[in-house]
Amino acid sequence: MSGDHLPQGLEGDLALALSVADAADRFTLPHFEARDFAVDWKTNATEVTEIDHGAESLVVDLLTTERPDHGVFGEEHGLAGDADSEWRWMIDPIDGTSGFVRGIPVWATLIALTNRGLPVLGVVSAPALGFRWWGGVGLGAHLAARGVNRTLTVSTVADMAEAQVSITHNAGWDDLGLTDRLVSLQQRARRSRGMGDFWQHMLVAEGAMDVAVDAVGVAPYDLAAIKPIVEAAGGRFTDRLGEATHEHDTAISTNGLLHDEVVAILAP
């Protein structure tokens, strides 16, 4: 989609998304703290809880009520609302469920708005961490944490030898035969960590990390809210081959200055 066709005036949609994130936080955080849920397993061998289902139902109900002319797609329940609308919300009720069920606070509700398939607005709310990020087209990128709000800008590190990188290795990288490339990337960087899920990409948007490489096997609902925030902060977000999309099963975010080098290192 060219810049001429990007939607403007998303402030009302952002306000709605932030309000919906508030409601989701009020639902999810008490259950995380109380540990009052059972864990089931999906066919892809990932965890799911009734909290995932309940949070998605809550978010979808609020969005379809306030935007009846929009579609809404959630990880757990699929498509609701207007299936033919050029506007579609994409929801991951709890990104990082595996951490959620183990008592690890690195999980978040992801809310994205797409226009003709392009993510234009994202909200990432991680109440157990006390952090929330948001941004999009014409909105900039922002962080609220412990009563302080600030605008986000990616780092200016241009030398991989000075870079902080986050790498999420999984069996998918082994299957691609590219695990040695991940190791090479880590060895070239100043420091490597494995933050995982949404958090690594939000740290890139903050300028705290310079590169984040996600696991193989991510889905569009994992990435749709992340992409517009990283880009609004001045970074780049692509798949492992350098295509700027949230619809493939790999994801790389960087400060932009290091992006081509990272893609080249990970090239098959």
Side-chain angles (χ1 to χ4, degrees), residues 9-199:
L10 295 171
E11 290 81 5
D13 296 303
L14 173 61
L16 172 61
L18 292 171
S19 175
V20 170
D22 287 340
D25 289 354
R26 288 192 295 268
F27 175 75
T28 55
L29 185 57
H31 290 294
F32 174 75
E33 293 171 338
R35 322 302 302 148
D36 59 352
F37 51 82
V39 181
D40 202 352
W41 293 87
K42 299 192 232 183
T43 56
N44 64 358
T46 61
E47 301 96 327
V48 66
T49 73
E50 64 266 34
I51 312 307
D52 295 81
H53 290 288
E56 183 168 310
S57 295
L58 172 66
V59 170
V60 170
D61 287 348
L62 290 170
L63 290 174
T64 54
T65 297
E66 293 297 323
R67 296 291 188 273
D69 56 337
H70 288 190
V72 183
F73 183 87
E75 176 183 7
E76 307 302 336
H77 302 310
L79 185 61
D82 185 351
D84 297 321
S85 175
E86 69 178 23
W87 295 95
R88 180 171 294 181
W89 299 85
M90 297 195 71
I91 310 303
D92 189 345
I94 300 179
D95 183 53
T97 299
S98 60
F100 183 95
V101 303
R102 293 290 299 271
I104 299 169
V106 184
W107 53 272
T109 295
L110 312 185
I111 302 172
L113 178 61
T114 68
N115 180 255
R116 289 178 280 181
L118 179 71
V120 295
L121 180 158
V123 173
V124 174
S125 191
L129 291 175
F131 281 67
R132 179 180 292 178
W133 303 263
W134 66 92
V137 176
L139 301 169
H142 308 272
L143 164 67
R146 301 180 180 91
V148 177
N149 291 9
R150 63 184 177 91
T151 300
L152 303 183
T153 304
V154 295
S155 74
T156 58
V157 174
D159 183 350
M160 187 63 71
E162 296 300 320
Q164 302 248 11
V165 304
S166 175
I167 306 293
T168 304
H169 171 263
N170 70 338
W173 286 106
D174 297 336
D175 294 341
L176 290 171
L178 296 176
T179 298
D180 61 331
R181 306 298 181 91
L182 292 181
V183 174
S184 177
L185 174 58
Q186 291 174 302
Q187 292 173 331
R188 297 187 196 197
R190 178 181 179 87
R191 181 170 294 172
S192 176
R193 293 289 184 266
M195 304 300 185
D197 296 315
F198 67 92
W199 196 22

Side-chain angles (χ1 to χ4, degrees), residues 73 90 112 218-225 246-248:
F73 183 87
M90 297 195 71
V218 287
Y221 47 74
D222 296 316
L223 307 176
H246 69 293
E247 296 183 327
H248 295 170

